[in-house]
Amino acid sequence: MNTDLYEVLGVARNASPEEIKKAYRRLAREHHPDANPDDAAAEARFKEVAVAYEVLSDPEKRQRYDTFGPDGLRGMGGGGSGDPFAGFSDIFESFFGGGVFNQRSRGPSGPPRGQDLEVVAELDFEVAAFGGEHAVTVRTAEACGDCEATGAAPGSTPTTCTDCGGSGQVRRVRQSILGQMVTAGQCPRCGGLGQTISRPCPTCRGDGRVITEKTYTVQIPAGVDTGASLRLTGRGAAGVRGGGHGDLYVHLQVRRHERFERQGYDLVHQLRISAAQAALGVHLPFDTLDGTEDLVVPRGTQTGRVFRLRGSGVPHLEGRGRGDVLVQVMVETPGDLTEEQEDLLRRFAELRGEPVADADTSLLGKIKSAFK
Ligand SMILES: [Zn+2]
Ligand SMILES: [Zn+2]
């Protein structure tokens, strides 16, 4: 079972919708059960092609598949109405079955898929919040061009392994106390590849692949946060001697913002206001990530109070809506009073009947008086 939907349709990753449609029509005709009566393999292939087309012909599903891999399509069904994957995941699930995506996709013969790769992407705060593109560079393995991934030196060709007949598997029969035991294992002669080469390609030393650095542009969905990972199917390392590509896992790390701290989809900001502003109230222009809003601080606001600017936070990763901006006000005590300001403040305290320290009392004097 091939889990790379692009490979199923035999199209490139950047194939246009027309190319995808064309490939689907051709393959569907070729493998249609009517044209292949009693051919289970053709029927399986027909279903595979249908699922690949269902995903890749839908821009939203295709984007999700490109970004998250097959897992992005899994478990999306069963939600409320408006869920683009409702009804879809059933066919997908029944078809690919549970957990198949976590296994190495490998046919009965042929070289195994290449390694999965991992890379950390450090995202700007705004890119994580609103989505965008981010380039990642990975050290990876690509098919060797000199031997066309066969591993055989130019002018020579690989030959079918004589020990396993090309299956890559050998059966061993041994006697045990329970009788004859038949075990199947990897063919030691060809290492399970089913083919041997007499003259290895000098470029890749018979590996069929070369180490290289590649840069991929990753589509970052809006609303992601540190700890999230994206899976790019088929962007991992190439396998030995023509084996398919593994996947690339991009682990996201979001840089800090100078004004906001993220709490889920909410953005928290601590705003300092003066004691007079807190007491008398104030209208303040407040910059969110995408504009300026009017923040109304009412009279008599206490320090620590939180104001919520609805819908100005981070867009939800799944579905619609956005989080909020939470502005927590901190009332600042004025410390650098002029003579006139101090006179006014003393008059203010007097009017409210609040005892305050004398003007000429030094800090040391205050401490001493506290112990008298
Ligand atoms: Zn080579
Ligand atoms: Zn072999």
Side-chain angles (χ1 to χ4, degrees):
M1 179 67 64
N2 196 336
T3 59
D4 186 318
L5 302 182
Y6 290 97
E7 277 180 22
V8 168
L9 290 185
V11 295
R13 269 167 206 288
N14 57 2
S16 68
E18 289 71 34
E19 287 170 324
I20 287 170
K21 195 177 214 170
K22 228 174 172 179
Y24 165 67
R25 285 193 173 153
R26 184 176 55 76
L27 291 169
R29 216 178 296 129
E30 189 180 322
H31 300 288
H32 198 280
D34 291 351
N36 305 272
D38 302 324
D39 184 343
E43 193 184 331
R45 184 91 172 93
F46 178 75
K47 283 182 186 163
E48 203 176 40
V49 165
V51 169
Y53 181 67
E54 172 154 13
V55 174
L56 299 184
S57 63
D58 182 316
E60 206 172 337
K61 286 175 193 166
R62 184 178 177 183
Q63 150 109 49
R64 188 157 275 276
Y65 174 77
D66 286 345
T67 309
F68 296 104
D71 291 335
L73 304 163
R74 178 190 291 286
M76 292 293 297
S81 58
D83 180 348
F85 296 97
F88 163 73
S89 72
D90 290 347
I91 169 171
F92 204 78
E93 201 78 26
S94 66
F95 194 29
F96 285 116
V100 71
F101 291 120
N102 298 324
Q103 297 166 5
R104 283 279 176 282
S105 76
R106 182 182 177 180
S109 66
R113 212 177 73 142
Q115 267 179 302
D116 291 338
L117 299 175
E118 291 181 284
V119 66
V120 174
E122 212 186 318
L123 302 179
D124 282 336
F125 195 86
E126 274 88 351
V127 171
F130 297 120
E133 290 185 342
H134 186 89
V136 292
T137 301
V138 283
R139 232 175 113 73
T140 183
E142 280 290 294
C144 173
D146 289 357
C147 61
E148 288 170 340
T150 61
S156 72
T157 48
T159 49
T160 303
C161 175
T162 50
D163 281 15
C164 62
S167 71
Q169 302 262 312
V170 282
R171 284 168 181 279
R172 283 190 200 83
V173 180
R174 63 191 174 88
Q175 298 295 328
S176 77
I177 52 166
L178 298 170
Q180 268 197 354
M181 297 270 289
V182 180
T183 53
Q186 195 182 68
C187 171
R189 186 181 164 90
C190 63
L193 296 175
Q195 292 189 318
T196 53
I197 44 175
S198 48
R199 282 201 298 138
C201 163
T203 309
C204 62
R205 295 196 184 92
D207 204 31
R209 54 184 191 161
V210 287
I211 301 300
T212 181
E213 244 184 29
K214 292 208 88 170
T215 299
Y216 295 110
T217 303
V218 185
Q219 298 294 329
I220 307 295
V224 293
D225 203 353
T226 295
S229 295
L230 306 177
R231 169 168 161 170
L232 277 65
T233 47
R235 298 289 171 95
V240 173
R241 291 193 216 159
H245 284 254
D247 299 334
L248 173 61
Y249 289 85
V250 182
H251 304 298
L252 305 182
Q253 242 169 40
V254 182
R255 287 197 192 95
R256 293 181 69 86
H257 194 274
E258 54 182 5
R259 292 181 54 235
F260 292 109
E261 193 184 309
R262 253 182 87 165
Q263 283 183 5
Y265 294 111
D266 293 335
L267 297 171
V268 180
H269 176 76
Q270 285 201 335
L271 179 70
R272 299 191 172 277
I273 59 173
S274 75
Q277 287 172 326
L280 303 174
V282 64
H283 281 237
L284 289 172
F286 184 84
D287 289 333
T288 62
L289 287 183
D290 46 0
T292 304
E293 290 200 35
D294 188 29
L295 181 71
V296 181
V297 178
R299 287 174 71 93
T301 291
Q302 300 294 340
T303 196
R305 184 165 169 186
V306 176
F307 297 95
R308 192 175 282 268
L309 302 175
R310 292 202 184 274
S312 292
V314 177
H316 290 160
L317 189 55
E318 312 288 351
R320 300 187 184 83
R322 292 175 62 169
D324 303 327
V325 165
L326 305 178
V327 186
Q328 183 174 43
V329 298
M330 308 302 282
V331 178
E332 282 201 311
T333 305
D336 51 346
L337 300 173
T338 64
E339 205 172 312
E340 189 184 5
Q341 288 167 352
E342 177 155 346
D343 286 347
L344 283 168
L345 210 51
R346 288 189 176 282
R347 173 84 181 121
F348 173 79
E350 199 180 298
L351 285 172
R352 289 177 68 88
E354 295 166 354
V356 291
D358 291 340
D360 58 354
T361 307
S362 66
L363 180 66
L364 196 63
K366 269 188 238 175
I367 294 169
K368 275 181 180 163
S369 64
F371 287 94
K372 266 178 188 165

